[in-house]
Amino acid sequence: MRHKGKVLFATGAGSGLARAVAQRFTREGGRVAVADFNGDAANKVAAELAGAIALQVDVSDEAGMARAVGAAHRHFGRIDCGFSAAGIAETDPIEDWALERFNRHIAIHLGGAFLCFKYLIPIMKAQGGGAIVTVASVAALVAQKHNGPYGAAKAALLQLSRQVAADVAPFNIRVNIVAPGSIQTGMTEPYMLKRGNGDLARGAVLHAQHFGVQRVGQPDEIAAPVCHLLSDEASYTTGHCMVVDGGLTLA
Ligand SMILES: NC(=O)c1ccc[n+]([C@@H]2O[C@H](COP(=O)([O-])OP(=O)(O)OC[C@H]3O[C@@H](n4cnc5c(N)ncnc54)[C@H](O)[C@@H]3O)[C@@H](O)[C@H]2O)c1
């Protein structure tokens, strides 16, 4: 029950990694504002979690994010933790990217985290502390085929998070980053399905054959380290990028 009495604002929590974080955070005693562009998905996740609320928001929309964080703060009376995970993934040769699509990746991944910082940190400062985790990717660290705009957005997000970590450390606010490898979620399953010619299990095995652990990860294998980083157990850890990739980047 290490999050007892704590409140988490989590973006992208209608699915995948942030849904798993919301579920684990609730099991560990906390309450969650489940924020997602997909309002139906947010409602469904929140309905299954004790004390949770759902918020429909586009993380790249400043007015929307100000409203969503404000609504969560009014509802719970506090926000102790933030998890910025909303994201999209598309791959293409660089010459096939329209500038608008490139900008959308930056706006969601980098802008979404920026708006989390901008609207959560004043609340945490007033409360005397807090903890935020952002989601980068191994794509921020190594090159991946046709993944330039995504990797660039994640690399920038990594450095933004480190910069903010340094700025807010004196206010007892910690900011850490998780860099997942390949985790089976709504984002990655289409790639695995394609790889397995429609057979998801076979595609996941083929996809992971060069990873150290020889398998893709499951969302709770990211939720566990994230909930550690959000907890007081990580009280001396800030500005840290935790790579959780089953050895994908070791070779
Ligand atoms: N799954 C992986 O292998 C993996 C690896 C590295 C990094 N990541 C990152 O983890 C994060 C979560 O990904 P996931 O795998 O859980 O994917 P997912 O598709 O399962 O979940 C992403 C969620 O973000 C929401 N979202 C998308 N655009 C949004 C917007 N503009 N505003 C609000 N919500 C929005 C979607 O509706 C969805 O519910 C992403 O930032 C992704 O880049 C995932």
Side-chain angles (χ1 to χ4, degrees):
M1 299 302 275
R2 61 186 168 179
H3 295 300
K4 194 167 167 39
K6 299 273 175 75
V7 171
L8 167 69
F9 180 88
T11 71
S15 175
L17 307 187
R19 175 174 57 192
V21 168
Q23 289 166 339
R24 183 175 268 267
F25 194 89
T26 304
R27 284 201 302 276
E28 294 178 351
R31 289 172 297 162
V32 184
V34 176
D36 203 289
F37 187 63
N38 182 336
D40 290 342
N43 283 332
K44 196 161 171 266
V45 172
E48 291 167 358
L49 300 178
I53 59 167
L55 298 161
Q56 198 275 328
V57 66
D58 178 346
V59 295
S60 67
D61 169 30
E62 176 156 13
M65 279 293 280
R67 270 196 306 276
V69 172
H73 192 212
R74 274 193 306 282
H75 179 82
F76 292 111
R78 58 187 304 116
I79 300 179
D80 307 278
C81 299
F83 184 51
S84 173
I88 54 172
E90 289 162 358
T91 52
D92 263 318
I94 199 69
E95 63 272 26
D96 293 342
W97 280 76
L99 180 60
E100 195 185 340
R101 185 155 68 117
F102 174 85
N103 287 340
R104 182 91 186 120
H105 273 251
I106 302 292
I108 292 175
H109 291 286
L110 183 58
F114 160 70
L115 292 172
C116 275
F117 291 138
K118 179 169 175 176
Y119 289 100
L120 291 177
I121 282 170
I123 293 170
M124 293 177 175
K125 277 186 178 173
Q127 279 177 201
I132 299 174
V133 174
T134 61
V135 187
S137 164
V138 292
L141 309 173
V142 296
Q144 294 180 326
K145 194 177 176 193
H146 298 160
N147 212 14
Y150 178 88
K154 291 299 197 184
L157 161 63
L158 173 56
Q159 188 57 5
L160 174 70
S161 304
R162 287 180 174 142
Q163 291 276 162
V164 174
D167 289 342
V168 299
F171 299 95
N172 193 32
I173 303 170
R174 296 179 299 101
V175 177
N176 289 290
I177 308 101
V178 66
S182 202
I183 315 300
Q184 192 168 343
T185 66
M187 179 174 283
T188 51
E189 280 184 351
Y191 294 98
M192 295 173 196
L193 265 174
K194 196 169 163 197
R195 187 109 187 213
N197 281 327
D199 179 339
L200 181 60
R202 182 174 153 67
V205 169
L206 290 174
H207 183 72
Q209 57 195 356
H210 62 289
F211 299 0
V213 298
Q214 307 273 302
R215 63 174 179 81
V216 297
Q218 295 302 318
D220 201 48
E221 294 180 291
I222 300 299
V226 168
C227 283
H228 164 71
L229 290 170
L230 291 175
S231 79
D232 293 342
E233 289 169 2
S235 52
Y236 205 58
T237 306
T238 197
H240 174 62
C241 177
M242 186 182 280
V243 177
V244 188
D245 70 349
L248 189 159
T249 51
L250 282 178

